[in-house]
Amino acid sequence: MSSIFSIICAKFFQFGYNFVPEPDLSFVNFTWIFKILFFVIIFGYIFFAFLLTFRVRILADTVNTPFNKVVRAYSVIHLVIALIGGILALAIILLA
Amino acid sequence: MATRVPKKILHGNQSFVQRISDTFDKSPVTTFIGFPQQTYFDGQNKGENIVLILRQHPVTYLPQMLFIIALIVIVVLLNFSWDTINSILGVNLAFIVGLNIFSIILIITTAFFSFIRWFYTVNIVTDERIVDLDFNNIMSHKYSEAQLERLEDVTHNVNKFLGLVFDFGTVVIQTAGSKPEFQFDNVPRPRDVQDTILDLLEMKQKGQI
């Protein structure tokens, strides 16, 4: 019995040998961390673009200048660019 | 000039009309406009004339401009050094393409948001009241106004280096209302703004407007 225990102890303290099985973390790398991070950031960005469009609509009603129509058009164009660009960037990053 | 300035203000014979006359034909997308055409605000009375529209001097948006330039530089550097990034982080070309697209739309949004903040942070002086519209952030904006007869004291200060160079400052207006102080931040030609408000106040007290 004591000989078995001594063998186990010897194996345990043997340099470069470990009895405790290590979890396989090979799938966790920088790319996946970046992907999750970008998913959150791009989602927040698209939400911000929507808020900006709504805010422009309210402010354009508050102060009405001849340039307001252009600003409203710009805000819609910006929203479209943000939506298409955001979804495209997200898709490419997630599939990369 | 006569076509732009209402008769009741011309009859008052005040100095401010001459002082701001060079801004009459300015585009609506500028910082200092006297007697703007086709411009209205929420709650404007019939027969009420807008005398001044003020926005912050563009130099006050220097940090935003620098941020946009920094973003562009980062994107360019990222494209030139993606081989190095790939060797360190192990990301592929598609990831870099996605990052590029996101960076470009982020630059567009930052520029557009800065413009909208500047365009809708506006101060209005009419022959009846002053209006202060502050667009601070995406979640909130503030709209305050005070009747001319409630104004008590108008001061201006130019105390920043950039304000000294580009001639802009802050006009502080004390009122008797619930909001005791109005501030027109970083507006160009603060002396002319102060003179205009005080002249309008004088005309109001004399019953000319």
Side-chain angles (χ1 to χ4, degrees):
Chain A
M1 187 68 183
S2 64
S3 64
I4 293 169
F5 183 73
S6 64
I7 290 167
I8 290 170
C9 285
K11 286 280 185 188
F12 187 80
F13 291 110
Q14 193 178 355
F15 183 72
Y17 193 86
N18 193 355
F19 274 116
V20 182
E22 285 184 356
D24 183 18
L25 295 174
S26 59
F27 67 95
V28 180
N29 54 22
F30 273 116
T31 313
W32 269 103
I33 293 166
F34 277 133
K35 281 178 182 180
I36 293 165
L37 191 68
F38 272 100
F39 180 79
V40 174
I41 289 172
I42 291 173
F43 187 78
Y45 167 78
I46 292 171
F47 182 63
F48 178 87
F50 268 105
L51 285 182
L52 189 57
T53 309
F54 295 142
R55 185 66 64 185
V56 166
R57 197 185 59 185
I58 293 168
L59 291 171
D61 281 342
T62 309
V63 179
N64 193 352
T65 70
F67 197 67
N68 265 10
K69 282 180 185 173
V70 180
V71 173
R72 278 178 188 232
Y74 282 166
S75 74
V76 173
I77 292 167
H78 168 260
L79 182 64
V80 171
I81 290 172
L83 268 175
I84 294 171
I87 291 166
L88 192 67
L90 191 64
I92 291 172
I93 287 171
L94 288 182
L95 294 173
Chain B
M1 190 169 81
T3 53
R4 281 206 172 227
V5 185
K7 281 181 184 171
K8 59 181 178 182
I9 289 174
L10 271 180
H11 289 157
N13 206 20
Q14 294 287 349
S15 63
F16 81 90
V17 179
Q18 194 60 42
R19 289 181 74 150
I20 64 171
S21 61
D22 62 313
T23 65
F24 287 177
D25 295 320
K26 288 277 180 77
S27 129
V29 191
T30 188
T31 54
F32 194 107
I33 318 161
F35 295 99
Q37 301 291 294
Q38 299 170 326
T39 302
Y40 314 96
F41 63 93
D42 198 30
Q44 185 176 357
N45 293 331
K46 196 177 179 185
E48 183 178 1
N49 300 293
I50 297 176
V51 179
L52 272 182
I53 286 207
L54 306 162
R55 292 190 181 91
Q56 294 188 347
H57 198 283
V59 170
T60 55
Y61 284 79
L62 198 63
Q64 282 88 340
M65 292 176 202
L66 291 175
F67 179 68
I68 291 164
I69 292 167
L71 273 177
I72 293 168
V73 170
I74 288 168
V75 172
V76 171
L77 287 177
L78 195 74
N79 282 300
F80 275 107
S81 59
W82 88 268
D83 271 339
T84 319
I85 295 165
N86 184 26
S87 62
I88 297 168
L89 300 176
V91 292
N92 57 18
L93 181 62
F95 189 85
I96 298 291
V97 171
L99 203 62
N100 263 313
I101 293 169
F102 180 65
S103 306
I104 290 163
I105 57 173
L106 194 65
I107 290 165
I108 292 169
T109 297
T110 309
F112 183 66
F113 180 62
S114 300
F115 170 75
I116 292 296
R117 252 191 83 190
W118 171 79
F119 190 73
Y120 285 115
T121 298
V122 62
N123 308 116
I124 302 170
V125 179
T126 77
D127 54 5
E128 287 185 19
R129 68 185 110 184
I130 56 167
V131 175
D132 183 16
L133 176 61
D134 288 330
F135 180 15
N136 299 317
N137 58 58
I138 192 70
M139 299 305 284
S140 71
H141 72 265
K142 191 176 71 179
Y143 180 88
S144 353
E145 59 179 53
Q147 297 293 318
L148 278 183
E149 51 265 32
R150 298 189 79 87
L151 306 189
E152 289 184 339
D153 185 36
V154 184
T155 52
H156 81 264
N157 53 64
V158 181
N159 52 10
K160 290 176 185 168
F161 172 72
L162 287 175
L164 195 69
V165 175
F166 293 99
D167 187 21
F168 66 86
T170 299
V171 179
V172 182
I173 303 155
Q174 302 281 341
T175 69
S178 57
K179 190 188 176 192
E181 194 176 280
F182 274 76
Q183 238 175 262
F184 292 177
D185 291 318
N186 304 318
V187 289
R189 297 164 62 174
R191 297 169 306 285
D192 293 342
V193 177
Q194 184 183 18
D195 184 48
T196 304
I197 295 170
L198 288 174
D199 281 355
L200 285 168
L201 190 57
E202 189 186 330
M203 289 171 77
K204 193 80 179 171
Q205 285 165 349
K206 285 179 182 172
Q208 293 170 327
I209 51 173

